[in-house]
Amino acid sequence: GRVELIDNSNASRQLIQPTLIRYPNEDPALPPVEVVVPGSVDDYTLDRWGDLWIVTANPTKHQIYSGPGPVEIVQSPAPF
């Protein structure tokens, strides 16, 4: 069918750009895994102990990732 674009520039819209944790895939030939997590980048702490990378949620101190790196905590460039 035909797609018609509507001017909704006056509509109240908020783009949601989620926080992502990126870590290596088990198969190195595949791209990194991206997991959507709640909150902002500042809600997480990233630590590295040699080859071990640890992501901790603030202020609960709950570890949400522990494994090989490199690991990134980023704001998604694309809205969901």
Side-chain angles (χ1 to χ4, degrees), residues 8-66:
N8 64 352
S9 58
N10 293 327
S12 174
R13 251 178 27 147
Q14 179 181 358
L15 297 178
I16 299 172
Q17 294 175 279
T19 301
L20 303 174
I21 295 179
R22 288 186 188 136
Y23 55 89
N25 200 310
E26 288 182 14
D27 181 347
L30 296 175
V33 176
E34 290 187 341
V35 177
V36 176
V37 293
S40 70
V41 172
D42 295 333
D43 293 333
Y44 299 90
T45 301
L46 179 60
D47 294 304
R48 183 176 177 192
W49 299 82
D51 292 338
L52 182 66
W53 293 66
I54 300 168
V55 177
T56 306
N58 303 324
T60 65
K61 304 299 182 204
H62 179 73
Q63 284 187 6
I64 59 171
Y65 177 84
S66 178

